[in-house]
Amino acid sequence: MQIERYEFGLIMIDGQTFRNDVLIWPGRIKGDWWRQEGHRLQLDDVAEALAANPEVLVVGRGEPGKMAVDPALAAYLKDRGVALMAYPTREACRVINELSQTRRLAAALHLTC
């Protein structure tokens, strides 16, 4: 998987353009993804991606980083040995491109604020 472009409100992954937030796991990109609470990422929001047993969950918190990871989700990941990496989305895209060749990862990317 390669993220070819990211800008506020748009991401291009493997030649496909998405204009909504995306949830990614091995073999799948969910382009109509949204969370229960707009700027709070919770376990239920990423459960289907976590079912793929990733080693890492990369979170794109938005351009300025407004989306927060719920502490209960962070604790859940830690208990299961899943690394959590949360960054503003531009940085998260860079990390995904670096790790996707060597690590089994899932990603939750907020494309705007």
Side-chain angles (χ1 to χ4, degrees):
M1 176 187 62
Q2 180 71 27
I3 298 176
E4 298 148 349
R5 179 178 167 199
Y6 164 72
E7 60 187 60
F8 190 90
L10 180 143
I11 193 166
M12 183 182 290
I13 306 168
D14 293 336
Q16 293 183 343
T17 300
F18 300 91
R19 296 185 182 278
N20 295 306
D21 293 359
V22 294
L23 184 62
I24 302 167
W25 62 96
R28 179 84 196 273
I29 302 170
K30 184 174 186 176
D32 61 349
W33 176 67
W34 193 247
R35 294 157 307 286
Q36 291 178 12
E37 293 183 37
H39 287 115
R40 185 170 167 219
L41 184 66
Q42 300 173 71
L43 177 57
D44 286 346
D45 300 324
V46 294
E48 60 190 320
L50 296 178
N53 298 313
E55 298 172 80
V56 180
L57 175 64
V58 179
V59 176
R61 299 180 56 227
E63 181 82 15
K66 285 189 176 185
M67 186 175 76
V69 176
D70 187 292
L73 172 58
Y76 176 90
L77 295 170
K78 183 177 181 182
D79 288 347
R80 281 151 187 80
V82 178
L84 172 62
M85 304 177 91
Y87 306 99
T89 301
R90 187 168 313 282
E91 178 69 9
C93 290
R94 186 191 63 74
V95 169
I96 290 166
N97 283 342
E98 287 179 5
L99 294 180
S100 66
Q101 303 304 311
T102 59
R103 306 280 305 270
R104 183 173 176 83
L105 62 83
L109 302 176
H110 182 42
L111 302 185
T112 56
C113 54

